[in-house]
DNA sequence: ATGGGTGCAAAACATTTGCAAAAGT
DNA sequence: ACTTTTGCAAATGTTTTGCACCCAT
């Protein structure tokens, strides 16, 4: 059985081809596509999937913790099939979002948030904005 | 002369009451209001300012580096009158975004991005999501 | 005087909703 | 059989645009 099907079951969601495909897509790809791009990619295999389903599915996956939403900016929101928190590199030119899986998140900020502000920190996001190697040359 | 007027001049923008008020608002407040909230706040002093002006002005200020856009999530985008990069605490319950000005940004990630991925890092954002002290009690 | 800025209304775009039919358990 | 999910179309919400008038320099 595909790992996506196991994952869907594990959060008590019904297994449908659409869901399996969307989850598979996000878990495989190094990209963090937005709603529209996910739709276009899914359309290649399932030509009748509607945009509304993509919206509903991504929201659901996010709630269930299967994926994470990556808001690099107001106009660039992507979805990451890896729900673990890891830094993201965002190229301002080509807009690609790259994972930087190495290195744990710094815990000192979470500790400071807790000690100084009484915050109960649940998750973190670190974005590094700049130019990727490719785009520096052009 | 108000510091906002100096700032506007320093980036060669004409000084208008609308711009002065918007910039002042963002620099004073601890909040990081979104487009709509900025509009409502400005409306109290200048009842005829249009939403379109708010959009145009915020975009312009961002380009000029007078403010920074803070995208805590796809549905929560705010504007911060302090363009320096500092960690942000985001309460998932009350949606408030709090600055955490203390502590420099970790440079190790930027260095790693540069060394391993050839990135030229221009800026960073760190978000800590959780519950603020207030919201933990309710 | 003139170039840039503003407000309005319309256009474009993005997201959400309700519902009937289809599919999963 | 029962419930959930899907796709459609409409509704809603958000952001952008073009343009005439106004204002800061």
């Amino acid at each position: 059985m595909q790992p996506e099907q196991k994952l869907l079951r594990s959060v008590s969601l019904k297994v449908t081809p659409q869901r399996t495909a969307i989850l598979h897509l996000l878990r495989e790809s190094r990209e963090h596509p937005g709603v529209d791009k996910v739709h276009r990619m899914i359309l290649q295999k399932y030509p009748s999937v509607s945009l509304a389903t993509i919206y509903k599915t991504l929201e659901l996956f996010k709630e269930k913790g299967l994926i994470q939403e990556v808001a690099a900016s107001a106009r660039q929101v992507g979805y990451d099939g890896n729900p673990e928190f890891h830094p993201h590199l965002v190229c301002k030119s080509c807009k690609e979002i790259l994972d930087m899986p190495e290195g744990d998140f710094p815990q000192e900020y979470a500790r400071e948030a807790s000690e100084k502000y009484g915050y109960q920190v649940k998750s973190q996001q670190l974005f590094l904005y700049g130019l990727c190697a490719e785009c520096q040359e052009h």
Side-chain angles (χ1 to χ4, degrees), chain A:
Chain A
M1 198 201 300
Q2 292 184 28
E4 282 78 25
Q5 306 190 340
K6 279 209 189 93
L7 274 167
L8 289 169
R9 292 236 164 82
S10 76
V11 295
S12 12
L13 289 179
K14 289 193 178 175
V15 176
T16 68
Q18 294 92 329
R19 287 180 175 169
T20 308
I22 295 172
L23 190 52
H24 182 74
L25 171 77
L26 291 178
R27 285 167 52 85
E28 285 300 292
S29 95
R30 278 183 53 255
E31 287 182 83
H32 299 22
V35 175
D36 201 62
K37 190 156 193 187
V38 170
H39 188 215
R40 287 198 308 272
M41 292 168 95
I42 293 295
L43 237 30
Q44 304 192 350
K45 199 168 174 193
Y46 300 96
S48 66
V49 175
S50 77
L51 235 199
T53 296
I54 306 290
Y55 274 106
K56 288 168 187 166
T57 304
L58 291 174
E59 182 62 27
L60 199 54
F61 286 0
K62 186 168 54 126
E63 281 169 12
K64 297 288 189 176
L66 297 178
I67 65 176
Q68 67 172 310
E69 186 183 273
V70 177
S73 79
R75 283 158 208 76
Q76 191 182 2
V77 177
Y79 293 88
D80 186 344
N82 175 5
E84 294 301 313
F85 303 101
H86 49 270
H88 285 112
L89 301 174
V90 183
C91 178
K92 292 188 174 192
S93 175
C94 68
K95 307 295 179 194
E96 195 175 315
I97 300 176
L98 193 68
D99 291 325
M100 196 163 82
E102 300 86 359
D104 292 323
F105 252 83
Q107 289 310 310
E108 66 237 58
Y109 295 95
R111 199 176 341 107
E112 186 178 339
S114 164
E115 288 170 2
K116 285 204 186 152
Y117 303 93
Y119 251 76
Q120 181 184 327
V121 175
K122 297 266 182 71
S123 63
Q124 305 189 38
Q125 293 250 32
L126 174 60
F127 292 103
L128 303 176
Y129 302 92
L131 291 175
C132 68
E134 277 278 298
C135 289
Q136 284 172 52
E137 296 168 5
H138 306 309

